[in-house]
Amino acid sequence: MGATTSRNAKRKKQLTEPKTTGTFEVTATGTGFHTDCLIGNSDFQVIVTEPEEKGGSGRGPNPMQYLVVSLTSCHQETAALIANEKGIEKWGPIEFHTKFELNTDGFLGLTNSSLPAFEVFRCVVLNAEVTADVDQDTIDQVYHAVKARCPMRALFESAGVRIEGVWKKKVAVVENE
């Protein structure tokens, strides 16, 4: 109890008063390995399930696949915001390749307790090829800012998960006529 209280007190000291906030809500109904989710304050419905061979309906991605999508798309949106702030007119598309290597022992009950995030996410690699009218140095500056500002990345990193990756300028392919 003492260690938890100490961590919570330390966390409260580190919190700053936000200038802006947002609230996101989900209402969900599930049976077995299938969940129907309604995203609050929107008309978006999301299916989260496992493949049929694993007991799900096979009608949508599983929770880990959504997590990969969330991390990747958050990088995309954060990069677009930063490029816009820098006045970069031609930014994107960005082609991402994100890979999670997971230790599923805790989920499958093969350990005596749940594993910390940095042991579950053994390897997270997020690479990108950026189409833009800027040089590699500017792409590096945007990527550095994304690493500092992407909320999904912060969630992983605060849990001790290291994210590796390289962003590079996409080389234009010249077609022969």
Side-chain angles (χ1 to χ4, degrees), residues 87-92 130-136 138-139 169:
I88 301 170
E89 291 183 24
K90 175 67 173 98
W91 179 267
V130 181
T131 301
D133 287 340
V134 297
D135 59 15
Q136 182 62 48
T138 302
I139 291 170
K169 184 174 177 77

Side-chain angles (χ1 to χ4, degrees), residues 77-88 141-142 145-146 149:
E77 290 188 16
T78 306
L81 178 70
I82 293 165
N84 187 53
E85 290 171 356
K86 289 181 162 290
I88 301 170
Q141 290 173 25
V142 171
V146 168
R149 293 174 54 182

Side-chain angles (χ1 to χ4, degrees), residues 76-176:
Q76 157 58 31
E77 290 188 16
T78 306
L81 178 70
I82 293 165
N84 187 53
E85 290 171 356
K86 289 181 162 290
I88 301 170
E89 291 183 24
K90 175 67 173 98
W91 179 267
I94 304 175
E95 294 178 24
F96 289 95
H97 180 78
T98 307
K99 179 177 79 170
F100 284 19
E101 183 180 307
L102 300 173
N103 175 348
T104 58
D105 289 352
F107 175 71
L108 296 174
L110 302 175
T111 61
N112 292 332
S113 62
S114 65
L115 299 172
F118 64 87
E119 286 189 31
V120 173
F121 297 95
R122 308 289 294 172
C123 178
V124 177
V125 179
L126 193 151
N127 293 317
E129 285 189 297
V130 181
T131 301
D133 287 340
V134 297
D135 59 15
Q136 182 62 48
D137 186 54
T138 302
I139 291 170
D140 293 342
Q141 290 173 25
V142 171
Y143 181 39
H144 181 73
V146 168
K147 291 193 294 186
R149 293 174 54 182
C150 176
M152 287 297 297
R153 186 181 189 104
L155 182 66
F156 277 88
E157 290 179 341
S158 68
V161 177
R162 194 176 83 231
I163 301 172
E164 300 175 1
V166 175
W167 284 27
K168 62 182 179 178
K169 184 174 177 77
K170 184 167 180 154
V171 178
V173 176
V174 179
E175 305 232 355
N176 294 334

Side-chain angles (χ1 to χ4, degrees), residues 5 8 15 20 29 38 40 49 65-66 69 78 86 96-97 104 110 112 146 151:
T5 304
N8 288 339
L15 293 178
T20 61
T29 304
L38 178 61
T49 186
Q65 290 167 326
Y66 273 113
V69 167
T78 306
K86 289 181 162 290
F96 289 95
H97 180 78
T104 58
L110 302 175
N112 292 332
V146 168

